[in-house]
Coordinates of all heavy atoms in Angstrom, one line a residue:
S69 N -3.1 -4.4 -17.5 CA -2.1 -3.6 -18.3 C -0.9 -4.4 -18.6 O -0.6 -5.5 -18.0 CB -1.8 -2.3 -17.5 OG -0.8 -2.5 -16.6
C70 N 0.0 -3.8 -19.4 CA 1.2 -4.5 -19.8 C 2.2 -4.7 -18.6 O 3.0 -5.6 -18.7 CB 1.9 -3.7 -20.9 SG 2.5 -2.1 -20.3
C71 N 2.0 -3.9 -17.6 CA 2.9 -4.0 -16.4 C 2.3 -4.9 -15.3 O 2.8 -5.0 -14.2 CB 3.2 -2.6 -15.9 SG 4.1 -1.6 -17.0
A73 N -0.9 -4.6 -14.0 CA -2.1 -4.0 -13.3 C -2.5 -2.7 -14.0 O -1.8 -2.1 -14.7 CB -1.7 -3.6 -11.9
E74 N -3.8 -2.4 -13.9 CA -4.4 -1.3 -14.5 C -3.8 0.0 -14.0 O -4.1 1.1 -14.5 CB -5.9 -1.3 -14.3 CG -6.7 -1.8 -15.5 CD -8.2 -1.6 -15.3 OE1 -8.7 -2.3 -14.5 OE2 -8.7 -0.7 -16.0
T75 N -3.1 0.0 -12.9 CA -2.6 1.2 -12.3 C -1.6 1.9 -13.1 O -1.2 3.0 -12.8 CB -2.0 0.9 -10.9 OG1 -1.0 -0.1 -11.1 CG2 -3.1 0.4 -10.0
I76 N -0.9 1.3 -14.1 CA 0.1 1.9 -14.9 C -0.5 2.2 -16.3 O -1.2 1.4 -16.9 CB 1.3 1.0 -15.1 CG1 1.9 0.5 -13.8 CG2 2.3 1.6 -16.0 CD1 2.3 1.7 -12.9
K77 N -0.4 3.5 -16.7 CA -1.0 3.9 -18.0 C -0.4 3.1 -19.1 O 0.8 2.8 -19.2 CB -0.7 5.4 -18.2 CG -1.6 6.3 -17.3 CD -1.4 7.8 -17.6 CE -2.3 8.6 -16.8 NZ -3.7 8.4 -17.2
E78 N -1.2 2.9 -20.1 CA -0.8 2.1 -21.3 C 0.3 2.8 -22.1 O 1.0 2.2 -22.8 CB -2.0 1.8 -22.1 CG -3.0 0.8 -21.5 CD -4.2 0.6 -22.3 OE1 -4.2 1.1 -23.5 OE2 -5.1 -0.1 -21.9
T79 N 0.3 4.1 -22.0 CA 1.3 4.9 -22.7 C 2.7 4.8 -22.1 O 3.7 5.3 -22.7 CB 0.9 6.3 -22.9 OG1 0.7 6.9 -21.6 CG2 -0.4 6.4 -23.7
S80 N 2.8 4.3 -20.9 CA 4.1 4.3 -20.2 C 4.8 2.9 -20.5 O 4.2 1.9 -20.5 CB 3.9 4.4 -18.7 OG 3.3 5.6 -18.4
C81 N 6.1 3.0 -20.6 CA 6.9 1.8 -20.8 C 7.3 1.3 -19.4 O 7.7 2.1 -18.6 CB 8.1 2.1 -21.6 SG 9.3 0.7 -21.7
C82 N 7.1 0.1 -19.1 CA 7.4 -0.5 -17.8 C 8.8 -0.1 -17.3 O 9.1 0.1 -16.1 CB 7.2 -2.0 -17.7 SG 5.5 -2.4 -18.1
S83 N 9.8 -0.1 -18.2 CA 11.1 0.2 -17.9 C 11.3 1.6 -17.4 O 12.3 1.9 -16.7 CB 12.1 -0.1 -19.0 OG 11.8 0.8 -20.1
E84 N 10.4 2.5 -17.7 CA 10.5 3.9 -17.3 C 9.8 4.1 -15.9 O 9.9 5.2 -15.4 CB 9.8 4.8 -18.3 CG 10.5 4.7 -19.7 CD 9.8 5.5 -20.7 OE1 8.7 6.0 -20.4 OE2 10.3 5.7 -21.8
I85 N 9.1 3.1 -15.4 CA 8.4 3.3 -14.1 C 9.4 3.2 -13.0 O 10.1 2.2 -12.9 CB 7.3 2.3 -14.0 CG1 6.3 2.3 -15.2 CG2 6.5 2.4 -12.7 CD1 5.7 3.7 -15.4
P86 N 9.4 4.1 -12.0 CA 10.2 4.0 -10.8 C 10.0 2.6 -10.2 O 8.8 2.1 -10.1 CB 9.8 5.1 -9.9 CG 9.3 6.2 -10.9 CD 8.6 5.4 -12.0
Q88 N 9.6 1.5 -7.2 CA 8.7 1.4 -6.1 C 7.2 1.3 -6.6 O 6.3 0.9 -5.9 CB 8.8 2.5 -5.1 CG 8.5 3.9 -5.6 CD 9.7 4.6 -6.0 OE1 10.7 4.0 -6.4 NE2 9.8 5.9 -5.8
L89 N 7.0 1.7 -7.9 CA 5.7 1.6 -8.5 C 5.4 0.2 -9.1 O 4.4 0.0 -9.7 CB 5.5 2.7 -9.6 CG 5.5 4.1 -9.1 CD1 5.2 5.1 -10.2 CD2 4.5 4.3 -8.0
S90 N 6.4 -0.7 -9.1 CA 6.3 -2.0 -9.7 C 5.8 -3.1 -8.8 O 5.6 -4.2 -9.2 CB 7.6 -2.4 -10.3 OG 8.0 -1.4 -11.3
L93 N 0.9 -4.4 -7.3 CA 0.0 -3.7 -8.2 C -1.4 -4.3 -8.1 O -2.4 -3.8 -8.7 CB 0.5 -3.7 -9.6 CG 1.8 -2.9 -9.8 CD1 2.2 -2.9 -11.3 CD2 1.6 -1.4 -9.4
V97 N -4.6 1.6 -3.7 CA -4.1 2.7 -3.0 C -5.1 3.0 -1.9 O -6.3 3.1 -2.1 CB -4.0 4.0 -3.9 CG1 -3.6 5.2 -3.1 CG2 -3.0 3.7 -5.0
N112 N -9.5 11.5 -8.6 CA -8.3 11.4 -9.6 C -7.9 10.0 -9.8 O -7.6 9.6 -10.9 CB -7.2 12.2 -9.0 CG -7.3 13.7 -9.3 OD1 -6.8 14.2 -10.3 ND2 -8.0 14.4 -8.4
L113 N -7.9 9.1 -8.8 CA -7.6 7.7 -9.0 C -8.6 7.0 -9.8 O -8.3 6.2 -10.7 CB -7.4 7.1 -7.6 CG -6.2 7.5 -6.8 CD1 -6.3 6.9 -5.4 CD2 -4.9 7.0 -7.5
N116 N -8.1 7.8 -13.4 CA -6.9 7.1 -13.9 C -7.1 5.6 -13.8 O -6.1 4.9 -14.1 CB -5.7 7.5 -13.1 CG -5.2 8.9 -13.5 OD1 -4.9 9.2 -14.6 ND2 -5.0 9.8 -12.5
K117 N -8.2 5.1 -13.4 CA -8.5 3.7 -13.3 C -7.5 3.0 -12.4 O -7.1 1.8 -12.6 CB -8.6 3.0 -14.7 CG -9.7 3.5 -15.6 CD -9.7 2.8 -16.9 CE -11.0 3.1 -17.7 NZ -11.2 4.5 -17.9
V118 N -7.2 3.6 -11.3 CA -6.3 3.0 -10.3 C -7.2 2.5 -9.1 O -7.9 3.3 -8.5 CB -5.3 4.1 -9.7 CG1 -4.5 3.5 -8.6 CG2 -4.4 4.6 -10.8
R237 N -1.0 -0.9 -1.6 CA 0.3 -0.6 -2.2 C 0.9 0.8 -1.9 O 2.1 1.0 -2.0 CB 0.3 -0.9 -3.7 CG -0.4 0.1 -4.5 CD -0.3 -0.3 -6.0 NE -0.9 0.7 -6.9 CZ -0.2 1.6 -7.6 NH1 1.1 1.7 -7.4 NH2 -0.9 2.4 -8.4
E442 N 4.0 15.7 -5.9 CA 4.5 14.4 -5.4 C 5.9 14.4 -5.0 O 6.2 13.9 -3.9 CB 4.3 13.4 -6.6 CG 4.6 12.0 -6.2 CD 6.1 11.6 -6.3 OE1 6.8 12.3 -7.1 OE2 6.6 10.7 -5.6
Y453 N 2.2 9.1 1.5 CA 2.1 10.5 1.2 C 1.1 11.1 2.3 O 0.1 10.6 2.5 CB 1.5 10.8 -0.2 CG 2.4 10.3 -1.3 CD1 2.2 9.1 -1.9 CD2 3.5 11.1 -1.7 CE1 3.0 8.6 -2.9 CE2 4.3 10.6 -2.7 CZ 4.1 9.4 -3.3 OH 4.9 9.0 -4.3
R476 N -3.6 15.6 -7.1 CA -3.5 15.4 -8.6 C -2.1 14.9 -9.0 O -2.0 14.0 -9.8 CB -3.8 16.7 -9.3 CG -3.8 16.6 -10.9 CD -3.4 17.9 -11.6 NE -2.1 18.3 -11.2 CZ -1.0 17.8 -11.7 NH1 -1.0 16.8 -12.6 NH2 0.2 18.3 -11.4
S477 N -1.1 15.5 -8.5 CA 0.3 15.1 -8.8 C 0.6 13.7 -8.3 O 1.2 12.9 -9.0 CB 1.3 16.2 -8.2 OG 2.6 15.7 -8.3
I478 N 0.2 13.5 -7.1 CA 0.5 12.1 -6.5 C -0.2 11.0 -7.2 O 0.4 10.0 -7.5 CB 0.1 12.1 -5.0 CG1 1.1 13.0 -4.2 CG2 0.1 10.7 -4.4 CD1 0.6 13.3 -2.8
T479 N -1.5 11.2 -7.5 CA -2.2 10.2 -8.2 C -1.7 9.9 -9.6 O -1.8 8.8 -10.1 CB -3.7 10.5 -8.2 OG1 -4.0 11.8 -8.7 CG2 -4.3 10.5 -6.8
A480 N -1.3 11.0 -10.3 CA -0.7 10.8 -11.6 C 0.6 10.0 -11.5 O 0.8 9.1 -12.3 CB -0.3 12.2 -12.2
Y481 N 1.4 10.2 -10.5 CA 2.6 9.4 -10.2 C 2.2 8.0 -10.0 O 2.9 7.1 -10.6 CB 3.3 10.0 -9.1 CG 4.7 9.4 -8.7 CD1 5.8 9.7 -9.4 CD2 4.8 8.4 -7.7 CE1 7.0 9.1 -9.1 CE2 6.0 7.8 -7.4 CZ 7.1 8.2 -8.1 OH 8.3 7.6 -7.9
L482 N 1.3 7.7 -9.1 CA 0.9 6.4 -8.8 C 0.3 5.6 -10.0 O 0.3 4.4 -10.1 CB -0.1 6.4 -7.6 CG 0.4 6.8 -6.3 CD1 -0.7 6.9 -5.2 CD2 1.6 5.9 -5.8
A483 N -0.3 6.4 -10.9 CA -0.8 5.9 -12.2 C 0.3 5.6 -13.2 O 0.0 5.1 -14.3 CB -1.9 6.8 -12.8
G484 N 1.5 6.0 -12.9 CA 2.6 5.8 -13.8 C 2.8 7.0 -14.8 O 3.7 6.9 -15.7
D485 N 2.1 8.0 -14.7 CA 2.2 9.2 -15.5 C 3.2 10.2 -14.9 O 2.8 11.2 -14.3 CB 0.9 9.9 -15.8 CG 0.9 10.9 -16.9 OD1 2.0 11.3 -17.3 OD2 -0.2 11.2 -17.5
I486 N 4.5 9.9 -15.0 CA 5.5 10.6 -14.3 C 5.5 12.1 -14.8 O 5.7 13.0 -14.0 CB 6.9 10.0 -14.5 CG1 6.8 8.5 -14.1 CG2 7.9 10.7 -13.6 CD1 6.3 8.2 -12.8
E487 N 5.4 12.3 -16.1 CA 5.4 13.6 -16.7 C 4.3 14.5 -16.1 O 4.5 15.6 -15.7 CB 5.2 13.5 -18.2 CG 5.3 14.9 -18.9 CD 5.1 14.8 -20.4 OE1 5.2 13.7 -20.9 OE2 4.8 15.8 -21.0
A488 N 3.1 13.9 -16.0 CA 2.0 14.7 -15.4 C 2.2 15.0 -13.9 O 1.8 16.1 -13.4 CB 0.7 13.9 -15.6
S489 N 2.9 14.1 -13.2 CA 3.1 14.4 -11.8 C 4.1 15.5 -11.6 O 4.0 16.1 -10.5 CB 3.7 13.1 -11.1 OG 5.0 12.9 -11.5
K490 N 4.9 15.8 -12.5 CA 5.9 16.9 -12.4 C 5.3 18.3 -12.8 O 5.9 19.3 -12.6 CB 7.1 16.6 -13.2 CG 7.9 15.4 -12.7 CD 9.1 15.1 -13.5 CE 9.9 13.9 -13.0 NZ 11.1 13.6 -13.8

Side-chain angles (χ1 to χ4, degrees):
S69 83
C70 66
C71 296
E74 258 188 290
T75 55
I76 303 300
K77 287 185 174 294
E78 292 179 2
T79 56
S80 298
C81 173
C82 298
S83 62
E84 297 174 354
I85 303 302
Q88 64 265 32
L89 295 183
S90 302
L93 296 181
V97 174
N112 278 266
L113 289 171
N116 283 307
K117 295 183 170 54
V118 177
R237 74 177 182 99
E442 185 275 333
Y453 297 96
R476 183 208 61 79
S477 173
I478 290 167
T479 55
Y481 183 83
L482 294 174
D485 193 342
I486 310 305
E487 181 182 345
S489 74
K490 294 179 179 179

